Amino acid sequence: MKLFLLAVLTFAIGAVTGQTKLRIDPNGAEAPMFSEVFEEVKFIPLETKIQSIFGSIKQLFVTKDLFIFTETNSNNIMMFYRNGKFKTKIVRDIYSSGSINIDFENERIYYNKGYTIYSFDYEGKPLGIIDDKRIGSRYIVGKNNAVYYDKRVNKVLPDSISHEISFFKEGVLESQLFPYNMKNDEFFFEDTYQVMHSFFYTIGNGTQALFTRPYHYTIYNATSRGVDSLFQIVLPYELSLNVEELNNNKRYPAGSKSSYFKDYPNHIQSITFPYSIGNNLFFKLQPSKVISDSYLYRLDSENLYRIDQIKSDKKSYYFNVLNVLMPSEFVNKNFLVADEEYIYTIMPADVLKEQYKNNKSRGLTAEYPEDLLKFLTGRNKNANYVIVALKPKK
């Protein structure tokens, strides 16, 4: 029987409730057929015309009617209808923050420029500005409720206690979680593994988000009620952090924690990209020595799948939708967002078209939706990215 190491967490002021322990052994993960874990895939090409051209998608939000996202070629906010037709864009200067916030209930788009928040409606029209001195990554969890993440550690900062998570209800600070010393904490920013995603991961109808913390194996859920500890991942001993050793500042001083992972290259640094839809829990395990692995854990059957090794079949139109390049869009960016039914990633249009040609030459054909077939056989060589919506089995 394998030994398991349970990461010990210390909670701060505020309510953190409802934790479920999940024993995960990556060595037993299966590489499934597409149809084993997904019941549907939709490819949504985003309309390509002069005013709608963009690079790649960075931060994606899915509303009832729209795709709203930031992109790599400019600092603009792009808005497309759910059928892929271009709607409008919000032009921002280079001094505005890259990330955006969406208020799903009030249908508002926000971005920061310094301590000023700019507000827009879903038509792209400006609604005004708001002063906000609060620092950190923000996620709106219902009307006038927001959760912030902020951890800044530096020797020039005050020798005082701050908190990683702050929850505001109706604009008033209600609770704070995970205290740390701004000057003398055991972990600096450079000790933290950085992922190509904002701190919060949207799920459901947009008014809740999952998040994880560096060097911890717990998945949290932020809602309008506060923050819950949703799942605690328990890994095999040989993959788990030795918390006491990691916190040994004589051997691994703050700012040099990477030395720990040179000594323990198999240990998982963090759990990232968590998404939950029904009985499906998606996540990545981030070790230090290799590219991270992506998983799907079925909460009902307790089956574990290597989602980055999924095998295409007729259900996916024989398209390899999750590991198209090496290093791929999916390996780097993973799933971008999830709603109540689908989880979303992206594919370069030229890669999808090339797969179609290759499959056709090999005799792998499928009954394509009419709009998709028209796109695959089209001649536009500079088409925008394709959003891929995957519906996991219930």
Side-chain angles (χ1 to χ4, degrees):
M1 180 180 293
K2 287 183 176 291
L3 293 175
F4 289 84
L5 179 68
L6 184 62
V8 178
L9 299 176
T10 302
F11 297 119
I13 305 168
V16 179
T17 60
Q19 180 175 271
T20 300
K21 293 179 183 178
L22 303 177
R23 295 184 178 271
I24 303 293
D25 184 359
N27 298 311
E30 305 172 34
M33 300 300 294
F34 185 91
S35 56
E36 285 185 70
V37 294
F38 293 108
E39 63 179 64
E40 181 187 359
V41 58
K42 294 194 294 186
F43 297 91
I44 305 116
L46 298 179
E47 185 179 16
T48 306
K49 52 186 183 180
I50 293 176
Q51 61 267 46
S52 73
I53 293 175
F54 61 90
S56 180
I57 295 174
K58 293 196 294 184
Q59 189 182 14
L60 173 65
F61 292 92
V62 181
T63 74
K64 179 182 177 181
D65 301 310
L66 300 172
F67 295 120
I68 303 173
F69 58 87
T70 58
E71 56 103 359
T72 56
N73 275 2
S74 71
N75 209 21
N76 296 334
I77 301 170
M78 310 298 293
M79 301 170 67
F80 288 76
Y81 292 104
R82 291 283 294 268
N83 63 3
K85 295 294 183 182
F86 177 66
K87 180 178 175 68
T88 188
K89 63 183 175 182
I90 299 170
V91 178
R92 301 188 292 176
D93 61 37
I94 60 173
Y95 302 104
S96 304
S97 65
S99 62
I100 61 176
N101 295 121
I102 303 294
D103 184 337
F104 285 82
E105 292 192 0
N106 292 313
E107 297 190 348
R108 298 289 183 264
I109 304 168
Y110 300 99
Y111 71 84
N112 286 64
K113 185 177 179 180
Y115 291 119
T116 302
I117 297 177
Y118 290 77
S119 174
F120 293 79
D121 64 16
Y122 281 5
E123 299 299 318
K125 296 178 180 178
L127 299 176
I129 60 176
I130 306 166
D131 288 330
D132 187 359
K133 304 297 184 185
R134 289 169 286 195
I135 299 174
S137 301
R138 180 176 70 147
Y139 193 90
I140 299 170
V141 285
K143 292 182 178 179
N144 302 316
N145 299 335
V147 59
Y148 285 75
Y149 171 78
D150 177 39
K151 186 172 184 180
R152 291 163 295 141
V153 182
N154 196 296
K155 293 300 182 183
V156 303
L157 293 175
D159 185 6
S160 60
I161 298 299
S162 186
H163 293 82
E164 295 179 31
I165 296 292
S166 299
F167 181 76
F168 290 83
K169 199 172 186 68
E170 300 293 334
V172 178
L173 179 62
E174 183 172 270
S175 62
Q176 292 182 300
L177 301 167
F178 316 123
Y180 69 95
N181 188 292
M182 299 175 68
K183 186 182 184 72
N184 298 313
D185 190 75
E186 295 173 334
F187 299 94
F188 288 173
F189 176 80
E190 53 265 36
D191 292 321
T192 304
Y193 178 81
Q194 303 300 309
V195 299
M196 299 179 70
H197 197 282
S198 58
F199 183 78
F200 297 102
Y201 298 85
T202 302
I203 62 170
N205 63 2
T207 60
Q208 58 181 317
L210 301 184
F211 68 89
T212 59
R213 300 168 60 221
Y215 304 122
H216 292 80
Y217 298 158
T218 299
I219 299 172
Y220 301 92
N221 189 25
T223 70
S224 60
R225 300 183 303 275
V227 176
D228 294 328
S229 174
L230 200 59
F231 301 110
Q232 186 173 33
I233 306 298
V234 184
L235 297 171
Y237 177 84
E238 65 270 17
L239 300 179
S240 299
L241 293 172
N242 184 328
V243 177
E244 182 178 352
E245 186 72 1
L246 181 63
N247 291 337
N248 183 344
N249 281 335
K250 290 184 178 180
R251 186 170 183 179
Y252 307 111
S256 301
K257 296 297 182 182
S258 59
S259 298
Y260 170 90
F261 294 100
K262 291 180 181 178
D263 294 340
Y264 301 96
N266 292 324
H267 287 189
I268 301 300
Q269 294 187 32
S270 56
I271 294 171
T272 58
F273 293 91
Y275 295 101
S276 178
I277 304 177
N279 284 310
N280 302 278
L281 177 65
F282 297 88
F283 59 91
K284 287 179 73 174
L285 296 180
Q286 182 60 54
S288 59
K289 70 171 185 178
V290 295
I291 295 175
S292 57
D293 303 329
S294 299
Y295 296 89
L296 164 61
Y297 180 78
R298 287 286 305 187
L299 298 169
D300 51 358
S301 64
E302 300 183 357
N303 287 344
L304 182 67
Y305 300 101
R306 276 289 298 272
I307 208 70
D308 55 328
Q309 294 183 354
I310 197 166
K311 303 169 187 175
S312 61
D313 58 20
K314 188 174 182 180
K315 181 70 75 172
S316 67
Y317 305 107
Y318 299 106
F319 291 136
N320 190 352
V321 297
L322 297 184
N323 48 352
V324 294
L325 298 171
M326 191 63 187
S328 73
E329 289 283 347
F330 184 72
V331 166
N332 289 329
K333 297 182 179 179
N334 205 265
F335 294 113
L336 296 176
V337 70
D339 58 22
E340 294 171 304
E341 287 189 286
Y342 294 89
I343 190 163
Y344 298 83
T345 186
I346 56 175
M347 286 184 70
D350 59 336
V351 172
L352 184 60
K353 290 184 177 184
E354 187 65 25
Q355 283 196 43
Y356 169 73
K357 292 179 182 178
N358 290 340
N359 287 347
K360 190 175 180 180
S361 67
R362 295 162 54 202
L364 292 175
T365 59
E367 190 174 335
Y368 303 103
E370 184 178 344
D371 289 346
L372 177 60
L373 183 59
K374 183 179 179 180
F375 172 78
L376 293 171
T377 55
R379 296 183 177 181
N380 189 342
K381 296 183 179 180
N382 298 304
N384 279 329
Y385 267 71
V386 177
I387 290 179
V388 183
L390 301 135
K391 187 176 183 180
K393 289 190 171 182
K394 295 181 179 179

